[in-house]
Amino acid sequence: MNELVFFINNVVIAGSVTGSIYAIGAIGVTLIFSIMRFAHFAHADIMTFGAFMVLLLTTAFPAVGASIGVPTALIMLPLAMLLTAALAVGIDKAFYKPLRAHGVKPIVMVIGSLGVTLMLQGLIRLFSGTGGQSLYVDDRKEIFRIALPFEGVRAPIVITEPQIYLFVITLMAVVALHLFLNRSRLGKAMRAMSDNPELAQASGINTNTIVAVTWVIAGALAAIAGTLLSLDVTFKPDLSFFLLLPIFAAAIVGGVGHPYGAIAGGFVVGFAETLAVFNWNVLLRPFRDSLPTWLELPSNLAFVGTEYKIVVPFFILVAILVWRPTGLFKGKVI
């Protein structure tokens, strides 16, 4: 049972945390692709910007959350979502809209997004510095240890306060997005534009409004992902940048252009990473005495070392695309 608890802590909980972050990030990437048909490489730095806004607001008003018993960073998150959404819309109007007006090819938009990435990362480094900072300014991160009522089980299940918030907010965001896309007029218009932009425009849909709404949703989700990630670990200017490739892998695995596929792809990639670096020798300890004497298990029985974890999403990506080229869900439509 102690080995099982170790598995729950290091695979089930850790994989759910990683998968949730990847899923929220991949939804934004896939929405932008489905509407504007280009890969937005600056999305990870928009996530970092959202977390940075939360850090600034929390530093300015550190005691706000104490009055209601929640971290101040969560109180500041809605305002940071608005600021990040405004940034996303502003970037589109300043950089991407002129390119679309000139009818440039998608690869030019991709290169332009790389320039936006470097610009955002440089500005964030300029104002935040290069070191790590905690979003718990005047708060204390709660760690919950849940003891199991079984004889001989000494190790508790460990889950932190930001991880609980992450699971709850991820579920709320997924439900809200589902209702928006399927029940609201704007959501249905987004689906129509994703399926056929020319026909949507001919039907009287205001494509400029749809583009703006897409950036608002992507920016707000980016702020959520960056903030919840920074709450769980710590804020760094390049924290989300290193998640960019796994997030894109998650979007492609799920079916690029399909938000529900992005959610599935996020959890597939997150759990694949966690399972690949898990030391399976721990689960085999109870069976060690029954193994042949000539079979000696190594101390570390992980599939890959932690330093090679970045390889795992792309192995999963290649394997799934060979089996199903459109991804888990049919891509390119909402």
Side-chain angles (χ1 to χ4, degrees), residues 248-326:
F248 267 93
I252 296 171
V253 164
V256 64
H258 201 303
Y260 306 121
I263 298 167
F267 282 98
V268 167
V269 171
F271 275 103
E273 278 190 7
T274 308
L275 289 168
V277 299
F278 178 70
N279 185 6
W280 294 91
N281 183 39
V282 175
L283 286 184
L284 295 176
R285 283 176 186 169
F287 309 100
R288 187 172 297 176
D289 294 338
S290 60
L291 295 175
T293 55
W294 53 269
L295 181 59
E296 184 176 353
L297 296 176
S299 59
N300 187 2
L301 204 57
F303 291 108
V304 297
T306 306
E307 63 273 20
Y308 300 111
K309 184 172 69 172
I310 191 65
V311 177
V312 177
F314 300 98
F315 177 81
I316 300 297
L317 173 64
V318 172
I320 288 183
L321 290 184
V322 168
W323 164 62
R324 189 177 175 87
T326 58

Side-chain angles (χ1 to χ4, degrees), residues 232-244:
D232 190 39
V233 283
T234 187
F235 172 81
K236 293 181 180 178
D238 57 357
L239 180 64
S240 299
F241 178 76
F242 292 107
L243 301 182
L244 178 62

Side-chain angles (χ1 to χ4, degrees), residues 108-163:
V108 177
M109 302 282 285
V110 172
I111 299 301
S113 72
L114 289 174
V116 174
T117 294
L118 298 176
M119 179 190 69
L120 283 177
Q121 197 170 117
L123 288 173
I124 293 171
R125 285 177 182 272
L126 177 64
F127 290 102
S128 71
T130 57
Q133 302 179 62
S134 175
L135 262 61
Y136 281 86
V137 177
D138 256 11
D139 304 305
R140 180 176 175 270
K141 183 188 296 187
E142 294 290 339
I143 300 176
F144 303 102
R145 293 176 171 84
I146 306 170
L148 297 181
F150 298 107
E151 185 178 354
V153 179
R154 300 181 302 275
I157 294 176
V158 180
I159 188 168
T160 65
E161 181 184 31
Q163 289 172 351

Side-chain angles (χ1 to χ4, degrees), residues 1-287:
M1 288 298 296
N2 287 300
E3 288 77 12
L4 181 59
V5 170
F6 184 82
F7 180 83
I8 293 173
N9 287 332
N10 290 275
V11 173
V12 178
I13 294 178
S16 298
V17 169
T18 305
S20 297
I21 295 295
Y22 288 172
I24 298 176
I27 290 173
V29 167
T30 205
L31 283 176
I32 293 170
F33 180 86
S34 65
I35 299 298
M36 281 156 280
R37 297 296 193 271
F38 80 101
H40 188 229
F41 280 96
H43 192 73
D45 289 287
I46 292 180
M47 290 169 57
T48 306
F49 176 85
F52 181 52
M53 290 298 99
V54 170
L55 176 63
L56 290 181
L57 292 169
T58 304
T59 304
F61 308 99
V64 173
S67 58
I68 56 176
V70 298
T72 302
L74 284 184
I75 304 297
M76 299 302 173
L77 179 57
L79 181 55
M81 291 168 62
L82 291 176
L83 293 173
T84 309
L87 173 74
V89 173
I91 288 174
D92 177 66
K93 289 187 179 297
F95 296 99
Y96 302 135
K97 188 175 181 179
L99 294 177
R100 289 197 303 271
H102 286 84
V104 300
K105 294 183 178 180
I107 186 61
V108 177
M109 302 282 285
V110 172
I111 299 301
S113 72
L114 289 174
V116 174
T117 294
L118 298 176
M119 179 190 69
L120 283 177
Q121 197 170 117
L123 288 173
I124 293 171
R125 285 177 182 272
L126 177 64
F127 290 102
S128 71
T130 57
Q133 302 179 62
S134 175
L135 262 61
Y136 281 86
V137 177
D138 256 11
D139 304 305
R140 180 176 175 270
K141 183 188 296 187
E142 294 290 339
I143 300 176
F144 303 102
R145 293 176 171 84
I146 306 170
L148 297 181
F150 298 107
E151 185 178 354
V153 179
R154 300 181 302 275
I157 294 176
V158 180
I159 188 168
T160 65
E161 181 184 31
Q163 289 172 351
I164 295 175
Y165 286 125
L166 171 62
F167 299 148
V168 173
I169 293 175
T170 299
L171 180 61
M172 291 171 59
V174 169
V175 172
L177 180 66
H178 171 76
L179 293 176
F180 174 78
L181 291 176
N182 291 279
R183 302 289 179 85
S184 69
R185 291 185 62 185
L186 273 176
K188 293 176 181 178
M190 286 178 64
R191 296 174 62 188
M193 186 172 172
S194 170
D195 189 38
N196 193 321
E198 291 78 15
L199 180 59
Q201 191 170 15
S203 302
I205 293 175
N206 190 330
T207 55
N208 290 327
T209 299
I210 299 304
V211 168
V213 170
T214 302
W215 283 110
V216 167
I217 295 174
L221 290 175
I224 291 174
T227 299
L228 294 176
L229 176 63
S230 299
L231 276 172
D232 190 39
V233 283
T234 187
F235 172 81
K236 293 181 180 178
D238 57 357
L239 180 64
S240 299
F241 178 76
F242 292 107
L243 301 182
L244 178 62
L245 295 180
I247 285 173
F248 267 93
I252 296 171
V253 164
V256 64
H258 201 303
Y260 306 121
I263 298 167
F267 282 98
V268 167
V269 171
F271 275 103
E273 278 190 7
T274 308
L275 289 168
V277 299
F278 178 70
N279 185 6
W280 294 91
N281 183 39
V282 175
L283 286 184
L284 295 176
R285 283 176 186 169
F287 309 100

